[in-house]
């Protein structure tokens, strides 16, 4: 897959059914409201084609909530005589598929040879229109290479499920001469969704009249046409989706929008779409000269983040696997704030602000979580969905022992997410100078999180505050005391909150008076923040300069060399087992080095070097977390290890395009994509904010002849061009 010489196109020149689900993920398209995996309009056995839209949550056992796979709006089936035309039903040649990252248009073509001389050339194109929430369009051109009787069916279907779980019931359907309509409702959450498709079919002698087919839950239009050799047929399907989350009567809205799409036509929609994409790319494009693989990978990462970012609501955010698959049931983790959000804060800050407002809307849930644990303020959920309430499952099926369960402790113990959100708000403020955002939303997020930390840290006789029994970013070690990442970031959060409170009191006294009264903040609470911030224990070895990942980490064994032998295809944890890995120093993803990435000013050059040398070697870069390699690249670049940084960068770049972990079927790894941007911008370009602007300290990989980064810093568009010295 993928790494062509073309800097804007992900291509596939042969179809391999054994990796169809990986391809479906890679060829996902979308518009910041809904996405569609890259399955085929005509279908394929075993496909996991699915579309997902922001906010269409429905309940399910164990995982709480997931986005309901959208009714099948993309289907266009065809038959030559009585034989279905699909990639598995005839001989296929000249197959190719291209995803144009510049415009989000997915095209595919092949020649199909069936029995009895049936011979067709098919060419498909589709896109989900950028710049507006609901429209998508599909076009199929068929050329008969020999005379053929062709049947086509195009419609909508509610017969979809999320890995076997049906979320929809049908509320109504209708078939008109050129239009089909389907109204559905999610079974538990009761969200109403209307989908309308206008279909036009043009044969060699003009429009072809459809026959109506109104099967329950699957209204469709059918066309029958004889084509002589060389003759062509063009079918265009305009689709509109509307839910009752945005419109009280979604069906008329969808009908109106589908009609408008027909009036604009394919070309009009393309023009609108391409213009919207041009704006996105002007804001965030990165050019890498001299390294086609890196160039394509960074644009692919940017494309996937851009299609997943909610552009029409602030009641949603980007899930760990974006909108491109079922992985993690679309739940939102720290992946968003720490890995993906920086790209948006520095390129399209209004989108970042929307995603932070999603957390603000979730404050009630976060407060409930804190209160349930006997704490004050807001404890953000490790996994979030429609509200700010915790939706981390309590257990998941054991991958090694079917029928058994593995307990999941992260919901209770991976508390660092609260500081991660505080950090993201602060970083957004620094990147944008958006004072209104800070006053209206950001301050409450930071201050409520600080209240949580001050109540969660426990003073002990040694004179320190401690956070015991937590999980840090390195999830190979569960239930540890004083995880350095958690404690130091919590301490940073408390300091930042204290500074913010002082700033508000001085510059926005009325606002401060109201907010502090609402949150119950008084002088003793603020004093406690500073006390806890200063005394939170961070295990540290002064002689070596090493931060100890958690209390007792240095007492653990090294990973046995045989486990590290090359050629493995699974993680160290899988090889050693959940229990055994905890007795070793092997780590799943940067933890101390993650801290160094977020808070570089808190590490001297020597300390950074010492920690880099120690921890990088002990990190499971290949099969630990997909979140790790890009951060490892950024940190290695910072210490000047550019070759090593580039290796880590490639590992991150290949996460989904080359499926190096073998799990891209489940969806795009959003954090790896966001991390890739950070590796380029914070790592290789060495970009950082200063009090009055920004500076760069570039360390480009050997192959890179020139790097160009587009950013928006404190309201100013910047095009930063870094030639190779
Ligand atoms: O948030 C991550 C975590 O850091 C590692 N396991 C997967 C989660 C979702 O991507």
């Amino acid at each position: 897959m993928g790494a062509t010489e073309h800097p804007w196109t992900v291509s596939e020149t042969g179809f391999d059914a054994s990796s169809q689900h990986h391809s479906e993920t890679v060829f996902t398209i979308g518009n910041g409201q809904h996405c569609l995996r890259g399955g085929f309009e005509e279908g394929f056995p075993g496909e996991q084609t699915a579309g997902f839209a922001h906010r269409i949550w429905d309940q399910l056992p164990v995982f709480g909530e997931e986005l309901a796979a959208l009714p099948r709006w993309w289907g266009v089936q065809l038959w030559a005589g009585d034989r279905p035309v699909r990639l598995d039903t005839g001989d296929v040649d000249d197959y190719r598929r291209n995803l144009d990252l510049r415009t989000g248009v997915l095209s595919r073509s092949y020649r199909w040879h069936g029995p009895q001389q049936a011979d067709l050339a098919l060419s498909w194109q589709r896109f989900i229109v950028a710049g507006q929430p609901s429209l998508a369009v599909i076009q199929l051109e068929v050329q008969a290479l020999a005379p053929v009787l062709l049947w086509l069916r195009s419609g909508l279907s509610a017969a979809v499920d999320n890995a076997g779980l049906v979320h929809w019931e049908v509320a109504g359907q209708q078939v008109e001469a050129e239009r089909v309509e389907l109204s559905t409702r999610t079974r538990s959450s009761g969200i109403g969704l209307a989908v309308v498709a206008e279909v036009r079919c043009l044969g060699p002698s003009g429009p072809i009249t459809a026959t109506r087919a109104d099967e329950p839950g699957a209204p469709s239009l059918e066309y029958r046409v004889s084509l002589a050799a060389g003759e062509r047929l063009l079918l265009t399907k305009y689709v509109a989706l509307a839910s009752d989350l945005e419109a009280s009567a979604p069906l008329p809205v969808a009908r109106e929008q589908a009609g408008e799409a027909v009036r604009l036509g394919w070309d009009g929609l393309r023009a609108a779409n391409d213009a919207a994409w041009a704006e996105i790319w002007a804001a965030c494009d990165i050019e890498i000269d001299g390294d086609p693989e890196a160039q394509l990978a960074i644009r692919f990462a940017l494309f996937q983040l851009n299609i997943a970012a909610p552009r029409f609501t602030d009641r949603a955010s980007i899930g760990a696997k974006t909108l491109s698959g079922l992985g993690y049931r679309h739940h939102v983790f720290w992946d968003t704030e720490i890995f993906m959000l920086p790209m948006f804060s520095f390129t399209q800050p209004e989108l970042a602000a929307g995603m932070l407002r999603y957390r603000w809307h979730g404050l009630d849930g976060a407060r409930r979580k804190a209160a349930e644990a006997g704490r004050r303020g807001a404890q953000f959920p490790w996994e979030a969905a429609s509200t700010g309430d915790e939706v981390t499952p309590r257990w998941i099926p054991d991958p090694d022992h079917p029928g058994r369960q593995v307990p999941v402790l992260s919901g209770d113990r991976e508390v660092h997410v609260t500081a991660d959100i505080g950090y993201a708000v602060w970083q957004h403020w620094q990147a944008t100078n958006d004072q209104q955002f800070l006053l209206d939303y950001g301050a409450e997020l930071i201050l409520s999180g600080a209240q949580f930390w001050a109540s969660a840290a426990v003073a002990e006789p040694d004179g320190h505050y401690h956070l015991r029994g937590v999980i840090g970013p390195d999830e190979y070690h569960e239930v540890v005391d004083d995880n350095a990442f958690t404690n130091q970031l919590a301490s940073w959060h408390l300091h930042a909150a204290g500074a913010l409170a002082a700033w508000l009191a001085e510059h926005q006294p009325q606002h401060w008076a109201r907010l502090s009264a609402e949150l119950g903040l008084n002088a003793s609470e603020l004093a406690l923040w500073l006390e806890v911030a200063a005394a939170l224990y961070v295990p540290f070895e002064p002689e070596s300069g090493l931060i100890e990942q958690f209390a007792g980490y240095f007492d653990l064994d090294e990973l046995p060399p045989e486990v590290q032998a090359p050629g493995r295809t699974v993680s160290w944890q899988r090889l050693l087992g959940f229990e055994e890995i905890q007795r070793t120093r092997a780590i799943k993803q940067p933890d101390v080095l993650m801290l160094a990435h977020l808070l570089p000013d808190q590490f001297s050059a020597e300390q950074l070097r010492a920690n880099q040398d120690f921890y990088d070697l002990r990190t499971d870069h290949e099969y630990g977390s997909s979140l790790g390699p890009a951060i490892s690249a950024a940190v290695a670049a910072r210490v000047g290890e550019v070759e090593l940084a580039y290796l880590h960068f490639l590992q991150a770049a290949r996460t989904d395009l080359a499926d190096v972990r073998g799990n891209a079927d489940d969806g795009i790894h959003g954090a790896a994509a966001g991390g890739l941007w950070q590796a380029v911008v914070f790592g290789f370009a060495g970009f950082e904010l200063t009090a009055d602007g920004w500076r760069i300290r570039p360390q480009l990989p050997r192959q890179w002849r020139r790097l160009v980064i587009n950013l928006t810093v404190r309201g100013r568009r910047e095009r930063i061009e870094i030639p190779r010295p």
Side-chain angles (χ1 to χ4, degrees), residues 114-126:
Q116 293 153 11
Q117 278 86 51
D119 219 352
L120 302 170
L122 295 103
S123 158
W124 302 86
Q125 289 194 75
R126 70 179 181 227

Side-chain angles (χ1 to χ4, degrees), residues 283-284 305-306 309 318 336-356 421 423-434 437 677-678 681-682 687 689 710-717:
C284 69
L305 291 171
N306 273 298
I318 310 179
T336 314
E337 282 77 13
I338 292 298
F339 295 82
M340 306 182 219
L341 209 77
M343 187 280 279
F344 291 106
S345 286
F346 281 100
T347 68
Q348 297 156 91
E350 63 293 347
L351 296 183
M355 287 185 263
L356 291 171
I421 290 169
Y423 180 92
V425 172
W426 187 274
Q427 185 184 50
H428 181 75
W429 180 32
Q430 298 302 306
T432 60
N433 268 353
D434 184 349
F437 169 81
W677 180 91
Q678 295 191 48
V681 175
F682 301 143
F687 173 89
L689 290 170
N710 289 284
L711 302 176
T712 295
V713 185
R714 297 173 180 153
R716 267 183 57 153
R717 278 274 171 100

Side-chain angles (χ1 to χ4, degrees), residues 383-681:
E383 298 184 30
S386 66
T387 68
D389 291 285
E390 183 63 75
V391 286
T392 305
R394 292 266 159 207
W395 55 268
I396 52 168
D398 185 336
D400 295 324
H401 302 98
R404 282 205 232 154
Q405 299 169 354
V406 185
V408 178
L409 308 181
S410 309
D412 292 331
R413 299 186 184 269
E414 210 152 343
V415 291
H416 63 82
V417 61
T418 293
D420 304 329
I421 290 169
Y423 180 92
V425 172
W426 187 274
Q427 185 184 50
H428 181 75
W429 180 32
Q430 298 302 306
T432 60
N433 268 353
D434 184 349
Q435 191 162 308
Q436 202 55 50
F437 169 81
L438 185 75
L439 294 179
D440 293 346
Y441 307 100
E444 190 173 351
L445 286 165
I446 291 179
L447 300 172
S448 309
Q451 287 176 294
F452 163 72
W453 289 122
S455 62
V458 177
E460 293 190 12
D462 62 358
H464 287 287
Y465 278 84
H466 296 266
L467 289 163
R468 298 197 180 273
V470 304
I471 303 176
D474 161 33
E475 295 168 335
Y476 282 177
H477 297 91
E478 297 189 317
V479 195
V480 301
D481 291 339
D482 292 317
N483 166 249
F485 177 91
T486 307
N487 287 16
Q488 198 153 330
L489 204 63
S491 165
W492 171 90
H493 186 163
L494 287 161
H495 274 301
L500 174 62
W503 183 87
L504 287 170
E506 187 182 341
H507 298 281
Q508 299 285 337
Q510 282 182 345
H511 190 86
W512 171 244
R514 188 180 55 74
L515 193 57
S516 55
E518 270 172 28
L519 300 182
L521 301 178
N522 53 29
S524 65
E525 170 89 23
L526 299 188
L528 178 65
W529 291 1
L530 296 185
E531 179 185 317
V532 176
L536 253 175
Y537 178 65
V538 176
F540 177 60
E541 205 181 63
E543 321 80 64
S544 61
L546 289 179
I547 291 180
E548 188 176 21
Q549 187 176 296
F550 53 81
Y553 172 86
F554 287 149
D555 302 333
L556 301 175
D557 297 334
E558 292 295 355
L559 188 68
E562 63 277 12
V563 178
Q564 300 184 51
R568 71 194 163 102
T569 52
V570 295
S571 68
W572 290 336
Q573 184 186 50
R574 206 69 192 275
L575 287 173
L576 271 190
F578 283 98
E579 298 297 331
E580 195 54 35
I581 195 87
Q582 310 215 30
R583 292 191 256 281
T584 76
R585 293 172 167 185
I587 62 179
K588 180 178 179 184
Q589 67 202 82
D591 194 306
V592 169
L593 295 180
M594 189 74 215
L595 189 60
H597 176 67
L598 297 185
L599 301 176
D601 296 348
Q602 299 196 5
F603 284 70
S604 69
E606 299 73 46
Q607 204 186 349
L608 182 58
R609 156 64 60 192
N611 283 280
Q612 158 73 15
D613 288 349
F614 184 86
Y615 285 108
D616 191 74
L617 276 177
R618 292 168 173 79
T619 306
D620 189 351
H621 300 290
E622 285 78 21
Y623 293 102
S625 167
S626 65
L627 281 65
I631 302 305
S632 299
V635 176
R638 209 184 275 278
V639 294
E641 287 206 38
V642 183
E643 293 286 315
L644 178 66
Y646 185 67
L647 290 179
H648 291 323
F649 171 86
L650 283 184
Q651 174 82 8
R654 293 172 181 167
T655 305
D656 289 313
L657 280 172
D659 194 12
V660 286
R661 291 161 193 277
N663 63 358
D665 296 13
D666 286 350
I668 291 290
H669 295 76
L676 202 68
W677 180 91
Q678 295 191 48
V680 173
V681 175

Side-chain angles (χ1 to χ4, degrees), residues 80 83-95 110-122 145-146:
R83 188 160 188 108
V85 179
R86 292 193 312 249
L87 290 173
D88 61 311
T89 57
D91 292 330
V92 170
D93 57 47
D94 264 358
Y95 170 93
Y110 58 92
R111 288 162 64 116
W112 183 87
H113 314 283
Q116 293 153 11
Q117 278 86 51
D119 219 352
L120 302 170
L122 295 103
L145 304 173

